[in-house]
């Protein structure tokens, strides 16, 4: 609280009033109870206390807030004059009046810049020496005592002014940093907000968050962080906040915008204290498009771009996992490889576009013919493969192969033409030491044997 206010004189004026009232009260109490010098005028001291009391009341009601801080400098001459009068009535008793010099210089240090106390020394010397001359104490010892009294007072005032300036500088620096960080928060192009850790209410949001989510600032400040999350995500979010004591943490969540759309975001959060509350500062990055692209790339990496069936890589991966699971059971893994007959003729005579449509139609029929847990893949060209997990014998995959061939017997209607297509199938049942590539290769060999034998 004891920091210079460079904007107006409110602090200095109010402090002056408080000191006047305090000193008046001390004088009024000291007159009847504190021993005094023989020549002390008690009535004069009480009159001085009354003047100080009245002056304190007047100073209190003056509009210091409308005046600059330097305006309180005019209080210095009347203050020293009042001290001089008090010294006169106390018979120049230093025991009584010396404290008022220290109070005045301390006030100057609190309210005004450095060097003010030094500039006050002439007035202070006059206030100190005048009573000595008026009361007949003008001797070398009393006069030279001013050298011992006033310099320490000035030192006290300058020391307080130095500390006050340092505190003011620190306060202004802190305020500047706070404003800088606040501006950085508000103008940051990345959506950011602060929410209450206990109540989950929004405490502050920046412009980027307002623009990205579609809510106004006033709307945000009436909402909770859980209001922008899908209901299914709320329990997990609440548990994470309750169990996250670390200052920093990152997470990925789904958020709801005002228009009802769902976005995926990566959140970097930092715990802090905001307006005296435990809060969380969150910086958000919308990764909806990035995640969609990653999912698309993963899908393309493991799916055939024409038929949307599993490709060779995904088929081999699932076959490997199925074999690993088979080691823990007494079942087998079966692979059926199916190849269309005379498909090259269709491509050469009707074009690749019709051939592609036929492959898509064949893939659709195969997918409908297998069990939900079986995997249908296009290995390349007109060759397809089916993975059967947990096969109990050779009959099950053989029956499936026959069912797959039968589902292709029905003619295909493509581009206004009717196609009848046949296929050949090879079936292989896994052995304990067969790898994925070996199983596919064996099924492929069986398919070519079946094709050669018709």
């Amino acid at each position: 609280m004891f920091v210079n206010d460079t904007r107006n004189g409110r602090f200095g004026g109010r402090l002056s009033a408080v000191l006047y009232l305090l000193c008046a009260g001390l004088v009024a109490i000291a007159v009847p109870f504190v021993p005094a010098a023989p020549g002390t005028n008690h009535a004069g001291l009480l009159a001085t206390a009354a003047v100080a009391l009245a002056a304190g009341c007047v100073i209190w009601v003056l509009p210091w807030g409308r005046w600059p801080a330097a305006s309180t400098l005019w209080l210095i001459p009347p203050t020293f004059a009042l001290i001089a009068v008090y010294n006169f009535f106390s018979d120049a008793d230093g025991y009584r009046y010396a404290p008022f010099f220290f109070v005045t210089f301390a006030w100057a240090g609190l309210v005004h810049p450095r060097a003010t106390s030094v500039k006050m020394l002439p007035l202070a010397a006059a206030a100190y020496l005048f009573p000595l001359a008026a009361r007949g104490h003008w001797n070398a010892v009393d006069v030279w005592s001013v050298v011992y009294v006033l310099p320490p007072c000035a030192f006290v005032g300058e020391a307080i002014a130095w500390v006050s300036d340092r505190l003011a500088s620190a306060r202004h620096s802190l305020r500047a940093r706070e404003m800088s960080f606040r501006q950085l928060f508000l103008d940051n192009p990345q959506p950011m907000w602060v929410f209450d850790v206990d109540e989950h209410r929004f405490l502050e949001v920046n412009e980027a968050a307002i623009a990205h989510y579609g809510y106004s600032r006033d709307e945000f400040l009436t909402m909770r962080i859980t209001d922008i999350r899908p209901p299914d995500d709320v329990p997990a979010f609440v548990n994470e906040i309750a169990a996250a004591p670390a200052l920093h943490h990152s997470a990925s969540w789904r958020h709801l915008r005002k228009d009802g759309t769902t976005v995926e975001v990566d959140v970097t959060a930092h715990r802090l204290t905001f307006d005296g509350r435990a809060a969380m500062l969150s910086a958000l990055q919308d990764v909806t498009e990035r995640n969609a692209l990653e999912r698309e790339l993963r899908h393309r990496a493991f799916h055939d771009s024409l038929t949307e069936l599993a490709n060779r890589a995904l088929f081999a991966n699932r076959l490997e996992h199925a074999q690993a699971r088979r080691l823990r059971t007494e079942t087998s893994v079966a692979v059926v490889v199916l190849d269309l007959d005379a498909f090259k003729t269709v491509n050469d005579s009707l074009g690749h576009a019709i051939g592609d449509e036929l492959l898509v139609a064949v893939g659709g029929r195969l997918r409908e013919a297998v069990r939900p847990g079986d995997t249908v893949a296009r290995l390349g060209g007109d060759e397809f493969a089916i993975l059967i997990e947990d096969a109990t014998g050779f009959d099950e995959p053989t029956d499936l192969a026959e069912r797959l061939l039968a589902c292709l017997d029905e003619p295909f209607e493509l581009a206004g033409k009717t196609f009848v297509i046949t296929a050949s199938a090879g079936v292989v049942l896994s052995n304990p030491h067969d790898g994925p590539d070996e199983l596919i290769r064996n099924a492929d060999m069986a398919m070519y044997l079946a094709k050669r034998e018709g």
Side-chain angles (χ1 to χ4, degrees):
M1 62 178 289
F2 294 138
V3 180
N4 291 336
D5 188 343
T6 58
R7 293 172 298 172
N8 57 57
R10 182 185 300 276
F11 173 74
R14 290 296 172 85
L15 180 61
S16 303
V18 169
L19 293 179
Y20 264 77
L21 295 174
L22 178 62
C23 291
L26 290 176
V27 171
I29 295 173
V31 167
F33 297 107
V34 177
T40 299
N41 186 334
H42 291 81
L45 293 179
L46 290 175
T48 304
V51 172
L53 179 64
C57 294
V58 172
I59 294 171
W60 181 269
V61 299
L62 291 176
W64 298 104
R66 288 187 257 166
W67 300 336
S71 61
T72 55
L73 286 173
W74 69 265
L75 292 174
I76 294 176
T79 299
F80 280 125
L82 199 59
I83 292 175
V85 171
Y86 180 81
N87 294 352
F88 177 80
F89 288 128
S90 65
D91 195 24
D93 183 358
Y95 177 78
R96 285 178 172 269
Y97 66 76
F100 296 113
F101 282 105
F102 280 97
V103 169
T104 305
F105 278 94
W107 169 85
L110 288 171
V111 176
H112 296 288
R114 282 179 287 178
T116 302
S117 295
V118 176
K119 297 175 183 177
M120 289 167 45
L121 283 175
L123 285 177
Y128 187 92
L129 295 173
F130 171 77
L132 296 179
R135 297 291 293 194
H137 295 286
W138 197 261
N139 56 69
V141 174
D142 290 340
V143 170
W144 278 99
S145 66
V146 70
V147 177
Y148 299 97
V149 174
L150 297 186
C153 292
F155 176 80
V156 169
E158 289 301 310
I160 293 176
W162 181 82
V163 172
S164 181
D165 284 349
R166 294 297 296 269
L167 291 175
S169 178
R171 182 190 64 179
H172 294 154
S173 177
L174 178 61
R175 182 177 298 172
R177 287 199 298 270
E178 289 177 350
M179 292 300 297
S180 177
F181 284 126
R182 180 174 178 82
Q183 203 63 37
L184 179 63
F185 169 83
L186 293 175
D187 295 340
N188 199 302
Q190 186 175 11
M192 302 177 73
W193 55 49
V194 181
F195 67 91
D196 189 298
V197 170
D198 298 321
E199 298 181 359
H200 303 150
R201 291 189 177 278
F202 286 104
L203 301 177
E204 187 59 272
V205 293
N206 71 351
E207 293 297 327
I210 292 171
H212 191 74
Y213 285 83
Y215 296 100
S216 68
R217 184 176 183 276
D218 291 339
E219 287 175 321
F220 260 120
L221 297 184
T222 61
M223 297 166 56
R224 299 176 186 268
I225 187 70
T226 51
D227 294 337
I228 64 165
R229 297 180 179 274
D232 294 343
D233 292 358
V234 171
F237 166 75
V238 173
N239 291 336
E240 179 180 285
I241 294 300
L247 289 178
H248 302 270
H249 79 278
S250 300
S252 297
W253 292 100
R254 295 184 300 163
H255 285 175
L256 298 175
R257 301 171 68 180
K258 187 176 182 178
D259 59 9
T261 57
T262 301
V263 294
E264 299 173 29
V265 294
D266 284 348
V267 181
T268 302
H270 174 77
R271 282 184 177 264
L272 47 75
T273 300
F274 186 90
D275 287 344
R277 310 183 205 179
M280 191 81 76
L281 169 65
S282 301
L284 309 106
Q285 182 179 6
D286 190 331
V287 294
T288 307
E289 294 184 2
R290 187 192 72 185
N291 289 351
L293 179 59
E294 290 178 354
R295 286 191 290 268
E296 177 66 20
L297 291 176
R298 284 196 298 269
H299 181 82
R300 291 182 181 180
F302 294 105
H303 291 81
D304 177 55
S305 60
L306 179 63
T307 62
E308 292 298 319
L309 298 173
N311 62 10
R312 180 180 288 271
L314 181 57
F315 187 82
N317 179 267
R318 291 186 177 177
L319 178 55
E320 183 178 6
H321 283 83
Q323 286 182 284
R325 287 191 294 271
R326 182 194 64 79
L327 297 176
R328 299 190 295 269
T329 65
E330 297 181 356
T331 58
S332 299
V333 175
V335 174
V336 178
V337 173
L338 185 147
D339 186 82
L340 302 183
D341 298 328
F343 179 74
K344 187 175 184 301
T345 304
V346 175
N347 259 348
D348 293 343
S349 60
L350 300 176
H352 289 281
I354 297 298
D356 289 346
E357 290 185 36
L358 178 60
L359 291 175
V360 172
V362 170
R365 287 194 185 181
L366 296 179
R367 190 156 39 199
E368 293 176 357
V370 300
R371 301 174 305 179
D374 297 337
T375 299
V376 181
R378 182 188 174 206
L379 300 183
D382 60 338
E383 191 173 68
F384 296 85
I386 297 89
L387 169 63
I388 305 172
E389 301 186 39
D390 303 325
T392 56
F394 200 73
D395 291 339
E396 186 176 353
T398 302
D399 292 342
L400 175 62
E402 292 177 352
R403 191 164 67 249
L404 294 174
L405 294 176
C407 80
L408 301 178
D409 289 341
E410 185 179 349
F412 291 90
E413 300 290 337
L414 300 171
K417 301 183 185 323
T418 301
F419 297 89
V420 177
I421 194 77
T422 60
S424 301
V427 181
V428 66
L429 201 64
S430 65
N431 291 318
H433 303 293
D434 289 340
D437 293 337
E438 188 173 3
L439 278 176
I440 296 174
R441 184 169 59 252
N442 291 342
D444 206 43
M445 293 173 61
M447 180 273 297
Y448 279 111
L449 180 62
K451 185 183 287 287
R452 187 171 68 243
E453 295 182 357

